[in-house]
Amino acid sequence: MILNLGVIGTGAIGREHIRRCSHVLRHAKVVALNDINRSQCEQVNRELDLQATIYDNPDDLIASPSVQAVMVTSWGPTHEAFVLAAVNAGKAVFCEKPLAVTAQGCMNIIEAEMAAGKRLVQVGFMRPYDSGYRALKQVLEQGEIGQPLMLHCAHRNPSVGEAYTTDMAITDTLIHELDVLRWLLNDDYVSAQVVYPRKTSRASSHLNDPQIVLLETAQGVRIDVEIFVNCQYGYDIQCEVVGESGIARLPEPMSVQTRRAATLASGILTDWKQRFIAAYDVELQDFITGALAGQISGPSAWDGYAAAVAADACLAAQNSGDIVAISMPARPAFYA
């Protein structure tokens, strides 16, 4: 069986996902494209040899009988409307983060999905598919270091453009930690605080960088996440779990160690797409397989909502400097 996909948004991440689905993964074919810039669709169609139909109206793409499932990789504020349209059409939909730009927007999607009576939505949180995070979770679940007490994490980028703003450190960067750490610990957040160290001279005048986000979970685990998006040296994701009887660290990406010119060195990645390239493959194959079987099982709309609730609290903490409470309603049985 082949899943006919329609893709809304053909920018950097959209193009990467189209390439995967067309030339790397199994049982999928991209048959329809939409983007606010039609010429970008034409370029992707040509360069990836797709022969996909280009739709000027995204609603027409979603409604098309030739499209069995939808992939939303457009600008974040458009996600909610496109996902709702796909759910209302009864079609499986993979949506890159954020699911919606507000927690209420995510709740709107949850309510529509529950009304549809089956899971149709998978959110593009790829880290739970990463082999390193899976290995770390296995250590915790097997009790190898006792109960987790603290997590020390970092999310570092070499640099960001002028359009990157202080709030994007939460909505575009930390959002991945907000999802994966909750999954790692099987725990929800109850409070957030944001503090600002000395600002790097590499940051734009309008950007506070770095930032440290302090989180507390319902079970009392304390988490600190350093967000440093102009670190210069590379793309670096760190996670250390301090347990009652030991410490577990996220494995480093594989690299060749060299001895040369009186130096012992290991390479550090600079491209985020390369750091999680295998996780993206597994993530999208899971969506394709689930959509064909009628059983979506990846990160859910509820996971997207939980991340959005925590992100909203972090944004409030950015502005106030206070410890901001995070209140999550009980998870519906639909998402058990």
Side-chain angles (χ1 to χ4, degrees), residues 29 38 50 104 134 137 181 190 201 227 243-244 250 254 272 286-287 296 308 329:
K29 181 180 181 181
R38 182 183 175 91
L50 300 180
Q104 182 57 53
R134 285 181 175 264
K137 186 173 178 67
L181 300 182
V190 296
S201 62
I227 307 165
E244 293 175 306
L250 183 69
M254 185 178 297
W272 57 269
D286 188 39
F287 172 71
I296 301 296

Side-chain angles (χ1 to χ4, degrees), residues 126-139 153-154 176-177 180-181 183-184 237-239 250-251 275-276:
M126 77 294 189
R127 290 197 192 180
Y129 292 97
D130 176 67
S131 59
Y133 277 106
R134 285 181 175 264
L136 185 57
K137 186 173 178 67
Q138 185 176 19
V139 167
C153 308
H176 283 293
E177 275 76 19
V180 77
L181 300 182
W183 168 82
L184 192 66
I237 303 299
Q238 298 288 328
C239 181
L250 183 69
R275 170 61 180 84
F276 290 106

Side-chain angles (χ1 to χ4, degrees), residues 189-331:
Y189 307 116
V190 296
S191 73
Q193 184 180 16
V194 179
V195 297
Y196 298 104
R198 178 181 179 180
K199 178 177 173 175
T200 175
S201 62
R202 307 282 188 172
S204 302
S205 59
H206 61 267
L207 173 62
N208 288 322
D209 184 45
Q211 304 177 37
I212 299 173
V213 178
L214 306 172
L215 300 163
E216 182 182 6
T217 75
Q219 296 179 23
V221 178
R222 292 286 185 167
I223 302 169
D224 57 85
V225 185
E226 170 203 322
I227 307 165
F228 188 9
V229 295
N230 287 282
C231 77
Q232 303 299 300
Y233 71 85
Y235 182 70
D236 191 8
I237 303 299
Q238 298 288 328
C239 181
E240 176 184 89
V241 183
V242 179
E244 293 175 306
S245 56
I247 292 173
R249 289 192 179 96
L250 183 69
E252 293 286 341
M254 185 178 297
S255 65
V256 175
Q257 188 181 78
T258 60
R259 296 171 183 264
R260 169 179 174 279
T263 302
L264 178 65
S266 297
I268 296 175
L269 294 173
T270 58
D271 187 343
W272 57 269
K273 294 188 297 295
Q274 291 301 313
R275 170 61 180 84
F276 290 106
I277 188 169
Y280 281 118
D281 289 349
V282 179
E283 169 193 48
L284 286 175
Q285 189 66 68
D286 188 39
F287 172 71
I288 292 164
T289 302
L292 284 170
Q295 294 180 328
I296 301 296
S297 60
S300 68
W302 183 259
D303 295 318
Y305 171 72
V309 169
D312 284 353
C314 291
L315 290 173
Q318 275 187 332
N319 293 321
S320 69
D322 297 332
I323 298 173
V324 176
I326 300 173
S327 178
M328 277 289 293
R331 181 198 298 261

Side-chain angles (χ1 to χ4, degrees), residues 19-74:
R19 178 192 63 78
R20 283 186 176 87
C21 293
S22 302
H23 300 296
V24 178
L25 307 180
R26 297 172 290 118
H27 308 308
K29 181 180 181 181
V30 176
V31 300
L33 299 173
N34 166 265
D35 194 279
I36 193 170
N37 183 351
R38 182 183 175 91
S39 64
Q40 195 162 267
C41 289
E42 293 169 348
Q43 182 182 7
V44 169
N45 220 359
R46 181 175 62 254
E47 293 182 356
L48 295 180
D49 192 25
L50 300 180
Q51 299 181 336
T53 302
I54 298 174
Y55 289 84
D56 292 322
N57 187 325
D59 291 324
D60 292 341
L61 178 149
I62 293 168
S64 171
S66 67
V67 172
Q68 296 171 289
V70 178
M71 187 174 297
V72 177
T73 52
S74 51

Side-chain angles (χ1 to χ4, degrees), residues 79-80 83-84 87 93-100 102-115 118-125 175 179 182 296-309 328-329 331-332 334-336:
H79 288 186
E80 179 185 351
V83 173
L84 284 172
V87 169
V93 54
F94 176 93
C95 181
E96 263 304 334
K97 57 85 181 171
L99 177 60
T102 65
Q104 182 57 53
C106 294
M107 183 54 71
N108 294 340
I109 292 169
I110 285 170
E111 291 171 351
E113 188 176 39
M114 290 176 66
K118 64 182 295 188
R119 274 203 56 192
L120 294 167
V121 179
Q122 180 171 325
V123 184
F125 289 131
I175 196 73
D179 174 69
R182 177 176 162 271
I296 301 296
S297 60
S300 68
W302 183 259
D303 295 318
Y305 171 72
V309 169
M328 277 289 293
R331 181 198 298 261
F334 184 87
Y335 294 104

